[in-house]
Amino acid sequence: MTTWHPPVGVSGDSGLIKVSVGMLGPARYRCPARDALVARPRYRADTPVPRKPEVLETFTNGAFMDVLDLVEHRGVAVGDALGKLSRRSMHDSVRQWTEHAVAGYLEAFPARLNGVLKPFRGRWVYESVLANADQRGARQYRISAWGRCYRSVDGKVREVRLPANRLGGRTRTDAEIAVAALVLAEGGPDALPEQVTIRQFGMLEGRSVTLFDGSRKAALDLYAVSGRDALAQLVDAGDPFEYRPGAVCADCPFAAVCPELRRTPGLLGVRNRRRPRRSWSATSARNHATCPALDYGRRQRLPVDQKVERGPAAERGRAVHRYLEDRHHEATCPCDTRIPTDWVPSGFDLTEDDRALGAVLLRHHAVVCPVRHTTKPADLRVEPNLVFDDVDADTIVLTKPDLLYHDGTTWVWREVKTSAWGRRGTRPWLEQYPQLALATVLAARDEFGLGIGRVELEVLRPAGADLYTLDPRTPEVRLHAEKVVRESFGRWHDDDRFVPVPGRHCADCEVARWCSARETTEGDA
């Protein structure tokens, strides 16, 4: 390992390095540079990011832990502990979710069945103090694991239960398990154990799975194999630093000095830096327009109703998109009308009718496939994650085009939609699909350095493919797009409470389960 140096715009020292096991989660959710800097609490950005708290609590599962602390450590009755939630500034959906998760946890682990294990107040922390600073400049390392902690009366057995919203939705990495094993095996402050167990508790399902159960030596061996190198990679962030802008930029204390985060003042058409710093996308706009509580529940990552989330039409549309994504990746020739009978990507379960309709839609796509206009794979970017920082609104903007391609003259943003209907509605495209409005505003601003581009909407229907073009050079198109973005963002930006608006859409709401205001049908009541 070479000597570690902080990036430009950051000051402090690496004398203390602190890591939480969750920081070793799946890479697609994390920014290596941010993790390496946050792990060094003595570093500060030369240009700080102001902290502006939300009215509502933002840590979705914090209340779950707080209620269990009252029950397990202070002997408060469950009902009384849950009753205290009414005094907190919490969204109704988070309160409903917390009550469900607490009930499931106490049913899965009733006190009378905990056996020799007793709740441990606090948490174990692995700590290493060096006589001299190492190449990172560190003299002290601290590693912790966030979860419910238990130990036997004699201290020989330790167990940690790591909460997860859904068992199937958050797979722990080998590094997370290995480093958690190290914390349990070697962490203070009490005597070291002989046996350690790591479980993951699914808060939705109300059950757990065992991730590791073995001796202290087995835990240390696991860390040596799967944890040590991953931990080093985390705190070093690569050489040179690897930046990965995304939703995490919204609460990153180093965002103002990040060299990879593109600043786009005025993008959203609102000048107001007094509001809490958040991340926004066209999906946020669409959900908020339907029901503010829907947007809030999705952004808080509350478990969704899979029957709604993965309904037949939505599943068919996603399968078509995945097929095209795979087909376009580094493509050198256009899509073909000859669609294989087994075209459905793995992980999708379609009926025979939807498989047949999907194949029809894919054949229509071949007629308007944008690869016809490209000359090399570099001209085509498939579903790139684009991130912008509108410093006038203090908001991170997230968007993900289905395709960005260069046609030899300019760049083109292509969105692909599927429909089983033969005709379109009367609502303007820019209003029906807010991502088109955002794309048009970005195209008009030349945010990609390729000249002012254009936006295309490809609609695949049973009768054929329709291709619509939005030209930001046309004043009416650009002004309409700016108005849609400004108004949809402005309503969301000003919202503090995200109050539910019940209606017929409740029947198709994927987070309605957590909404006490939802409109129910006679069968649901």
Side-chain angles (χ1 to χ4, degrees):
M1 181 191 74
T2 57
T3 302
W4 194 89
H5 297 287
V8 175
V10 176
S11 303
D13 68 76
S14 298
L16 171 63
I17 292 181
K18 296 174 63 176
V19 173
S20 175
V21 165
M23 295 169 69
L24 292 148
R28 68 181 182 275
Y29 300 125
R30 313 204 63 86
C31 170
R34 170 199 159 102
D35 284 340
L37 290 169
V38 169
R40 293 164 167 82
R42 296 175 184 170
Y43 273 110
R44 295 290 183 272
D46 296 342
T47 303
V49 177
R51 296 181 63 84
K52 295 169 290 185
E54 295 274 5
V55 170
L56 298 174
E57 294 185 19
T58 57
F59 184 19
T60 305
N61 293 335
F64 166 79
M65 295 290 279
D66 293 343
V67 168
L68 290 179
D69 282 347
L70 291 173
V71 173
E72 294 186 335
H73 301 316
R74 297 176 58 182
V76 177
V78 178
D80 293 339
L82 289 171
K84 294 180 182 294
L85 296 180
S86 62
R87 306 173 193 171
R88 300 170 61 155
S89 183
M90 295 175 58
H91 196 271
D92 171 69
S93 60
V94 177
R95 187 175 290 109
Q96 300 294 327
W97 162 243
T98 301
E99 292 177 359
H100 169 86
V102 167
Y105 186 88
L106 295 176
E107 183 176 347
F109 301 108
R112 68 180 185 280
L113 296 182
N114 269 336
V116 298
L117 295 179
K118 303 297 180 185
F120 175 66
R121 188 188 296 266
R123 58 181 179 177
W124 294 292
V125 177
Y126 170 82
E127 190 164 5
S128 175
V129 179
L130 309 178
N132 298 297
D134 61 15
Q135 288 174 290
R136 298 187 182 97
R139 294 194 60 180
Q140 188 176 14
Y141 290 83
R142 293 178 188 166
I143 309 173
S144 60
W146 185 79
R148 306 302 306 171
C149 299
Y150 301 84
R151 67 177 178 181
S152 60
V153 175
D154 60 10
K156 293 182 178 180
V157 179
R158 289 180 178 178
E159 180 172 311
V160 66
R161 299 164 188 168
L162 308 175
N165 283 13
R166 292 175 53 241
L167 285 177
R170 170 67 165 88
T171 302
R172 297 283 174 177
T173 64
D174 292 343
E176 284 181 285
I177 299 171
V179 175
L182 170 71
V183 173
L184 263 66
E186 290 280 274
D190 51 343
L192 299 181
E194 297 177 359
Q195 187 81 9
V196 301
T197 301
I198 304 171
R199 303 184 194 277
Q200 175 151 293
F201 174 71
M203 300 165 71
L204 175 65
E205 300 89 348
R207 59 185 180 85
S208 68
V209 294
T210 300
L211 304 178
F212 177 83
D213 185 22
S215 67
R216 178 170 171 271
K217 181 181 182 304
L220 296 177
D221 290 343
L222 179 64
Y223 170 72
V225 172
S226 302
R228 181 178 288 116
D229 290 345
L231 192 59
Q233 184 177 6
L234 169 73
V235 299
D236 292 336
D239 184 17
F241 257 41
E242 180 186 357
Y243 297 89
R244 197 178 297 149
V248 295
C249 297
D251 64 354
C252 177
F254 303 96
V257 298
C258 176
E260 295 297 323
L261 180 57
R262 184 184 291 268
R263 277 80 188 177
T264 53
L267 173 62
L268 300 170
V270 173
R271 290 182 61 88
N272 185 353
R273 291 184 55 83
R274 298 186 301 275
R275 301 289 301 150
R277 183 173 170 84
R278 301 170 178 164
S279 63
W280 180 86
S281 68
T283 300
S284 300
R286 186 171 59 250
N287 288 341
H288 190 270
T290 301
C291 174
L294 165 61
D295 167 64
Y296 187 84
R298 291 306 304 249
R299 286 190 295 112
Q300 295 301 114
R301 295 184 175 86
L302 296 180
V304 300
D305 184 340
Q306 292 296 315
K307 292 181 181 178
V308 175
E309 179 77 355
R310 307 198 66 163
E315 193 75 346
R316 181 188 63 242
R318 291 193 190 96
V320 169
H321 274 78
R322 177 69 59 78
Y323 177 89
L324 292 177
E325 178 184 358
D326 294 342
R327 181 68 182 79
H328 291 152
H329 183 66
E330 296 187 354
T332 56
C333 58
C335 293
D336 198 308
T337 57
R338 295 168 296 183
I339 307 301
T341 56
D342 59 346
W343 71 268
V344 180
S346 62
F348 293 90
D349 184 17
L350 302 186
T351 65
E352 285 300 319
D353 287 345
D354 281 325
R355 293 171 69 94
L357 176 56
V360 170
L361 300 180
L362 290 171
R363 279 195 286 272
H364 293 327
H365 163 79
V367 179
V368 293
C369 180
V371 181
R372 295 180 301 132
H373 306 292
T374 63
T375 59
K376 55 185 181 298
D379 290 340
L380 186 65
R381 297 177 62 189
V382 182
E383 298 202 6
N385 289 304
L386 306 179
V387 184
F388 306 91
D389 187 357
D390 185 340
V391 295
D392 286 349
D394 201 16
T395 298
I396 297 297
V397 181
L398 309 173
T399 187
K400 189 175 185 178
D402 288 331
L403 288 165
L404 276 181
Y405 72 94
H406 199 271
D407 66 359
T409 303
T410 187
W411 67 266
V412 185
W413 179 312
R414 172 80 66 94
E415 289 291 328
V416 181
K417 301 296 179 184
T418 63
S419 175
W421 301 97
R423 294 183 300 174
R424 61 160 294 187
T426 58
R427 192 178 182 190
W429 291 125
L430 289 172
E431 297 175 16
Q432 185 172 347
Y433 299 116
Q435 65 266 45
L436 293 176
L438 179 60
T440 302
V441 174
L442 286 167
R445 293 168 58 103
D446 184 17
E447 288 297 345
F448 302 98
L450 298 172
I452 295 176
R454 67 178 185 274
V455 178
E456 294 178 341
L457 172 63
E458 173 185 336
V459 183
L460 302 176
R461 296 190 176 94
D466 293 328
L467 189 61
Y468 303 89
T469 299
L470 299 167
D471 188 352
R473 295 183 182 86
T474 305
E476 294 83 359
V477 173
R478 178 176 54 80
L479 291 173
H480 190 187
E482 290 173 347
K483 181 175 183 288
V484 170
V485 170
R486 181 175 63 252
E487 292 182 352
S488 60
F489 170 73
R491 289 188 293 269
W492 176 90
H493 195 227
D494 290 337
D495 201 343
D496 281 323
R497 297 288 181 178
F498 299 93
V499 177
V501 180
R504 288 186 298 176
H505 52 264
C506 293
D508 297 319
C509 176
E510 57 269 35
V511 292
R513 177 178 183 177
W514 316 116
C515 181
S516 61
R518 68 185 182 277
E519 185 175 285
T520 58
T521 63
E522 184 175 342
D524 295 330

